[in-house]
Amino acid sequence: MAQDIQNAVIAVLIENESGALARVVGLFSGRGYNIESLTVSAVDAERKLSRITVVTSGTEMVIAQIKAQLARLIPVHGVCDLTATGPHVAREMALVKVVSHGETRTEGMRIADAFRAHIVDTTSGSFVFELTGSTEKLDAFVELMRPLGLAEVSRTGIAAIGRGPQTFYSNQESF
């Protein structure tokens, strides 16, 4: 019987030091786990901590292995599977460059308005839109811009946080 492949959004609190991110990424590449999205930033300057949000996929057993192995890495302070712990908010940001003239330019602005995208740069022949939202929303925007002169896309990857009063520490699993 084939096991279902599922996506997991995993938050990792890690020491903000040289090579720490490389160890996390090395864990994934060394064991053949796929990273679909990866974001990282310092979140606590006083305690020198960074937060990584990684989106991965696999069977339930593979996801459990990933979480357990992450928790054993030396620079890791905590691991939280936001997908498993309940509702969470996940957003991604994209910068989308569209090169167009005439009616396609007007159509691009109309679609951008419908998606609540912001124009962050404009020239006589191009726009750069900034758009924030779910991955599906960004995918839909990019597909609509494609026939209108889509020239370039830069995306951040998922940033996620649990909903409600619970925090990263209260959601941590023990290994």
Side-chain angles (χ1 to χ4, degrees):
M1 182 170 118
Q3 294 187 351
D4 292 332
I5 301 296
Q6 57 190 13
N7 285 334
V9 178
I10 300 172
V12 182
L13 207 54
I14 190 168
E15 198 78 33
N16 186 1
E17 66 182 21
S18 177
L21 177 61
R23 282 179 253 162
V24 170
V25 172
L27 182 148
F28 279 82
S29 66
R31 290 166 176 82
Y33 303 138
N34 186 37
I35 295 176
E36 296 181 14
S37 170
L38 178 75
T39 58
V40 61
S41 182
V43 292
D44 188 335
E46 188 175 301
R47 294 172 31 198
K48 297 181 180 179
L49 296 176
S50 291
R51 182 173 172 146
I52 297 171
T53 303
V54 61
V55 179
T56 188
S57 62
T59 63
E60 186 176 333
M61 186 180 79
V62 167
I63 300 298
Q65 287 174 343
I66 290 170
K67 292 185 297 187
Q69 291 170 357
L70 281 171
R72 285 195 294 266
L73 283 178
I74 293 300
V76 171
H77 286 247
V79 176
C80 180
D81 183 350
L82 294 169
T83 310
T85 57
H88 62 277
V89 177
R91 294 289 183 267
E92 186 175 358
M93 195 270 284
L95 296 173
V96 179
K97 183 180 286 186
V98 177
V99 177
S100 63
H101 300 279
E103 287 186 30
T104 56
R105 187 176 170 88
T106 305
E107 180 66 6
M109 290 177 62
R110 187 189 66 73
I111 292 170
D113 189 46
F115 276 76
R116 298 183 183 161
H118 302 283
I119 299 171
V120 293
D121 183 60
T122 184
T123 67
S124 60
S126 68
F127 286 108
V128 174
F129 297 106
E130 174 190 285
L131 179 66
T132 304
S134 68
T135 298
E136 294 79 16
K137 177 183 175 181
L138 273 55
D139 290 344
F141 183 78
V142 167
E143 285 309 310
L144 288 171
M145 289 296 161
R146 194 171 303 281
L148 302 177
L150 177 70
E152 189 174 352
V153 177
S154 178
R155 295 172 74 151
T156 61
I158 297 286
I161 197 164
R163 295 186 69 189
Q166 291 186 330
T167 65
F168 182 94
Y169 295 106
S170 63
N171 284 332
Q172 283 189 58
E173 300 171 16
S174 57
F175 295 98

